[in-house]
Amino acid sequence: MVFKGTLRTVKNVTNGYSDAEAKVRTATSNDSTIPSGAQLHELAQLSYKHEDFVDIVTMLDKRLNDKGKYWRHVYKSLAVVEYLLHSGSPKVAQYFRDNIYLIKTLKEFQHVDDTDRDVGADVRAKARELSRLLADDKSLAETRQRRKQMRDRMAGRRSISSDEPPAAPRRTPAKKPNQEDQDVQRALKLSQQEEAERRRQLEEQGKQGLFDDPKPAPRYVCLMIPRLPCVPDLVPLPLQQSHRPDCRGVATLATAATVHVSAAADDNGVVRRTISV
C-alpha cells in the first residue's frame, strides 16, 4: 500500500496533476481503504474555488468511467460525489445534473472479483441513491441544511436558517421580593440611617470643641484647719464643709490651684486666718 501511494505521488508529479486533482486521485485510489473524513472535507472546501472545482469534477469524471478491476475507483468516486452534494459547492450538484448520464449508466455496472463476489452491486446501489437525490431538489436542499446544522453544532455554533427570522430574546420576569427580603432591606436601610446620624453627631461635637480651651477637671483639696484656743469664734470661710465622718474640722475647696493657709494677729490682737489661692 505504501508502494502504491508512492507510485501515485510520482504519477501526480509526472503527469502534472494539480493539487486538487492529486487529492481526488488519493481519495479514490484502488486500495481497500475508504476516503477519510479529512480528505472529503478538504475536497468540499476546495470545491468553492472555481479553478479547484474544475479540476475536481474533471478528475471525478475520469474515475467514474473506469471499468473492471478498477471498480474501487468508481465506487469511491460516487462516495466523493455524494459528500460534495451534501457539503460542497452548489455548483457540484449543477454539474452532475447537467451530466446525469455519468451516474445513471452506473446503475448497470457489473463486475465480479476473483472470489466470484458481485462487487458491482455496491456501485449500482450507490448510483441509484445519487440519481434519486439529484432528481429531487427539495430533498437535496433539506439534506444540505441538515449537514450544515450538524457541522455548526460540532463547531460550537448554532445555525440559523436565512429563511427564518431570528428568535426574539426571552425576557426573564422580575422576581418579586418576599417578606424576608423586604425585612432585610428595611433593616439595612435603618442601619445606614443610624450610622449617618452617629457620624453627624460626632462631626458636630468635633466642631464645637475644636477652638475651645480645655476645662481642667476640678480637684478637691482637703484643708486641715486647727482651732486656735485664742479664737473661740472663727470667721466663716467660703468653703464647703466636708460630710466625711472621719474628717472633722476639714473643709473642702473645689479648685485647680494651690491653696495656702496662714494665721496672724493684727494691731488689735485679733488673730485672723488668711487663705490664698
Side-chain angles (χ1 to χ4, degrees):
M1 186 180 298
V2 176
F3 174 75
K4 289 183 178 180
T6 304
L7 181 61
R8 189 183 312 112
T9 302
V10 173
K11 287 183 178 180
N12 292 339
V13 176
T14 303
N15 296 327
Y17 291 127
S18 67
D19 183 61
E21 290 174 325
K23 291 181 185 303
V24 174
R25 284 172 53 82
T26 301
T28 59
S29 63
N30 202 41
D31 53 40
S32 58
T33 60
I34 62 175
S36 67
Q39 290 174 329
L40 295 173
H41 178 72
E42 189 173 13
L43 289 173
Q45 296 302 310
L46 290 174
S47 69
Y48 284 91
K49 301 177 182 179
H50 178 72
E51 185 177 351
D52 292 333
F53 163 77
V54 173
D55 291 341
I56 289 172
V57 296
T58 300
M59 184 55 65
L60 287 174
D61 194 320
K62 293 179 180 179
R63 291 297 207 188
L64 290 170
N65 280 285
D66 283 338
K67 299 290 189 296
K69 65 178 182 178
Y70 297 109
W71 67 270
R72 288 191 179 90
H73 288 177
V74 180
Y75 181 79
K76 290 183 179 180
S77 295
L78 290 173
V80 172
V81 171
E82 182 181 31
Y83 189 89
L84 295 180
L85 291 175
H86 294 166
S87 304
S89 170
K91 293 188 295 183
V92 175
Q94 186 61 44
Y95 175 84
F96 283 102
R97 284 196 187 100
D98 295 340
N99 300 275
I100 192 63
Y101 68 93
L102 292 172
I103 306 298
K104 285 186 174 182
T105 55
L106 295 176
K107 292 192 291 183
E108 306 298 331
F109 186 87
Q110 298 290 332
H111 183 69
V112 179
D113 63 8
D114 296 337
T115 62
D116 293 333
R117 185 170 64 95
D118 182 12
V119 293
D122 294 335
V123 175
R124 295 192 297 270
K126 181 67 70 176
R128 285 193 293 269
E129 291 177 7
L130 293 183
S131 296
R132 288 194 297 267
L133 184 61
L134 288 168
D136 190 346
D137 293 343
K138 182 179 179 180
S139 177
L140 179 58
E142 292 175 351
T143 302
R144 288 179 62 85
Q145 181 64 20
R146 286 196 300 269
R147 288 298 182 94
K148 183 178 184 300
Q149 291 174 348
M150 182 177 65
R151 291 195 304 271
D152 291 341
R153 285 196 299 269
M154 293 176 64
R157 301 187 302 270
R158 181 180 178 182
S159 175
I160 300 178
S161 174
S162 58
D163 298 334
E164 298 177 359
R170 298 179 59 186
R171 295 183 178 180
T172 304
K175 182 181 178 181
K176 296 182 178 180
N178 53 28
Q179 185 63 33
E180 183 178 355
D181 293 337
Q182 293 177 353
D183 293 341
V184 171
Q185 293 297 328
R186 283 195 294 268
L188 289 174
K189 186 176 181 180
L190 181 60
S191 177
Q192 293 173 354
Q193 292 175 350
E194 292 177 350
E195 178 65 17
E197 179 65 20
R198 187 183 68 84
R199 290 178 179 275
R200 187 185 63 79
Q201 293 178 358
L202 290 175
E203 290 176 358
E204 290 181 355
Q205 293 176 2
K207 291 178 181 179
Q208 293 175 357
L210 185 59
F211 300 102
D212 296 342
D213 293 332
K215 296 180 180 180
R219 292 184 302 165
Y220 291 89
V221 180
C222 293
L223 302 178
M224 299 298 297
I225 304 175
R227 295 182 178 275
L228 298 177
C230 60
V231 184
D233 295 323
L234 300 179
V235 177
L237 299 176
L239 300 175
Q240 295 179 358
Q241 184 68 31
S242 173
H243 295 285
R244 291 175 54 185
D246 57 343
C247 190
R248 293 181 178 272
V250 177
T252 60
L253 176 65
T255 179
T258 303
V259 178
H260 301 280
V261 179
S262 61
D266 58 8
D267 295 339
N268 297 323
V270 178
V271 179
R272 297 184 180 276
R273 289 173 298 174
T274 303
I275 299 175
S276 61
V277 179

